[in-house]
Amino acid sequence: MSLACAFNLPYQLIAVSGTEQLSYLHGQLTQDMNLITEHNFLWAGHCSPKGKLWGAFRVFKHQQRFILLGSEAEVQASNRELKKYGVFAKVEIDTVKEPRVIGVHSHTQLNNVCDLLGLKFEGENTACDFGNNKALKLDNQRLLLYVDSDFCLPEDIAFNEDPSLFIEAGILAGEPQVNEQNIEEFVPQMVNLQALNGISFKKGCYTGQETVARMRYLGKNKRAMYIVQGPCSEAIAETELELQLGDNWRRAGKVIHQVFNSATNTYSALAVLPNDTEQSVSLRAKHSPEVALTIMPLPYSLDDQ
């Protein structure tokens, strides 16, 4: 039996280089960019001037560049906006050509898998270089590998064409991803970025900072991201959820990321709902009402730090 499974993932990347890359991104993203080193990755949001997300990214450093990793929709939106203001700074901003992002899901702990790949995460580090490549440690069972065309998987790691298992694990970990329909709709707290330490409330000004701060200090935020899951006989593409009230159903919120696991006939999704939604409520997919959904526990606290 293989030690782990590997999957090609549908992520894209933005590379930011140049002498002012740090200061430029520090004024654009919700994260304190001074905290990102070659040995870690951090979450960050990229917002419009009104504080609405263009994307939620994992950000890391590689070969003297900052790399933003996100979905195709997020990368397209943020790349466009970063370039719009980047003309006033000494930076170069590009989407990475033919990126290859591999997810690795271990059946047990990652130690043996890391040994196979030649990865060394010292202490609490969450990123490391191996050859010309970069590895991000998401948790004790998952890795993200950003690799070049020469990279080959060891024989003891099985390749799987269907990335659903890895995507499902990310959803159950409460890791946000904004889809094309929801670009520039939610403030960072609505997708739980504060719970992933993706917002610095001490760093000073950045694009959209006034709205983000108001949500925290004035208690203006009324929505949060929830994990929902339920049995499903086939893949569905849902945009909204409905909530049962007596004999009736009403709109509950929007789906921002979803996956169907054909091995278990399970639908899992991240949905933005009112932040006072009770975990015991009955939910269903609006356009596939036969799919009943349950709110799953979040693996982190939503209390602002």
Side-chain angles (χ1 to χ4, degrees), residues 55 61 100 108 120 168 195 199 230 255 278 280 303:
K61 293 185 75 173
R100 189 180 180 200
T108 55
K120 294 183 179 180
E168 181 184 63
I199 306 173
V255 173
E278 298 290 338
S280 59
D303 294 335

Side-chain angles (χ1 to χ4, degrees), residues 65-295:
R65 303 181 298 174
F66 282 104
I67 307 291
L68 285 64
L69 185 150
S71 69
E72 179 180 1
E74 291 171 314
V75 165
Q76 287 182 353
S78 280
N79 184 56
R80 179 187 66 240
E81 299 300 328
L82 286 171
K83 284 187 172 181
K84 184 184 299 182
Y85 299 103
V87 296
F88 303 107
K90 295 177 182 178
V91 293
E92 295 180 5
I93 301 164
D94 296 289
T95 54
V96 178
K97 301 299 182 184
E98 299 182 358
R100 189 180 180 200
V101 181
I102 296 175
V104 177
H105 191 287
S106 175
H107 304 308
T108 55
Q109 297 294 305
L110 282 173
N111 293 345
N112 291 336
V113 174
C114 289
D115 289 342
L116 270 179
L117 292 167
L119 307 180
K120 294 183 179 180
F121 295 98
E122 302 290 346
E124 299 298 316
N125 291 349
T126 56
C128 73
D129 294 315
F130 63 113
N132 294 321
N133 310 307
K134 194 82 178 188
L136 308 182
K137 183 180 180 182
L138 305 186
D139 55 31
N140 289 328
Q141 288 185 283
R142 292 180 301 140
L143 296 169
L144 280 178
L145 308 179
Y146 170 44
V147 298
D148 59 25
S149 58
D150 294 329
F151 175 78
C152 293
L153 285 166
E155 290 184 0
D156 287 338
I157 298 178
F159 182 76
N160 193 324
E161 294 285 351
D162 182 3
S164 297
L165 175 65
F166 196 90
I167 295 171
E168 181 184 63
I171 286 175
L172 296 179
E175 297 168 351
Q177 178 175 307
V178 182
N179 63 33
E180 186 176 1
Q181 291 76 32
N182 302 129
I183 295 292
E184 208 173 336
E185 182 168 357
F186 302 118
V187 298
Q189 289 99 320
M190 292 178 184
V191 300
N192 305 355
L193 264 185
Q194 80 284 2
L196 294 167
N197 297 316
I199 306 173
S200 171
F201 293 102
K202 300 177 180 179
K203 62 175 283 186
C205 295
Y206 57 88
T207 303
Q209 183 261 345
E210 182 179 346
T211 298
V212 176
R214 188 163 61 243
M215 291 290 173
R216 173 184 171 90
Y217 296 113
L218 299 182
K220 297 291 187 179
N221 182 36
K222 303 301 180 185
R223 287 185 281 179
M225 187 180 72
Y226 289 79
I227 304 166
V228 298
Q229 192 174 65
C232 189
S233 59
E234 60 183 0
I236 62 173
E238 188 52 74
T239 57
E240 295 184 48
L241 301 184
E242 293 183 324
L243 168 72
Q244 186 172 24
L245 286 177
D247 295 330
N248 300 312
W249 294 83
R250 68 171 178 82
R251 182 182 179 278
K254 293 191 174 183
V255 173
I256 63 171
H257 191 30
Q258 59 196 311
V259 71
F260 173 68
N261 186 332
S262 59
T264 59
N265 283 341
T266 303
Y267 172 82
S268 304
L270 297 172
V272 177
L273 309 173
N275 59 10
D276 60 355
T277 301
E278 298 290 338
Q279 192 162 338
S280 59
V281 299
S282 296
L283 297 168
R284 71 180 185 185
K286 178 178 180 180
H287 301 101
S288 299
E290 71 281 3
V291 179
L293 298 168
T294 301
I295 294 178

Side-chain angles (χ1 to χ4, degrees), residues 15-48:
V16 182
S17 58
T19 57
E20 294 181 350
Q21 57 178 295
L22 173 61
S23 60
Y24 179 64
L25 287 176
H26 195 73
Q28 291 289 317
L29 304 182
T30 60
Q31 184 58 257
D32 182 348
M33 297 299 295
N34 294 292
L35 300 178
I36 299 177
T37 72
E38 295 285 349
H39 307 296
N40 70 347
F41 79 89
L42 293 173
W43 283 90
H46 182 209
C47 300
S48 72

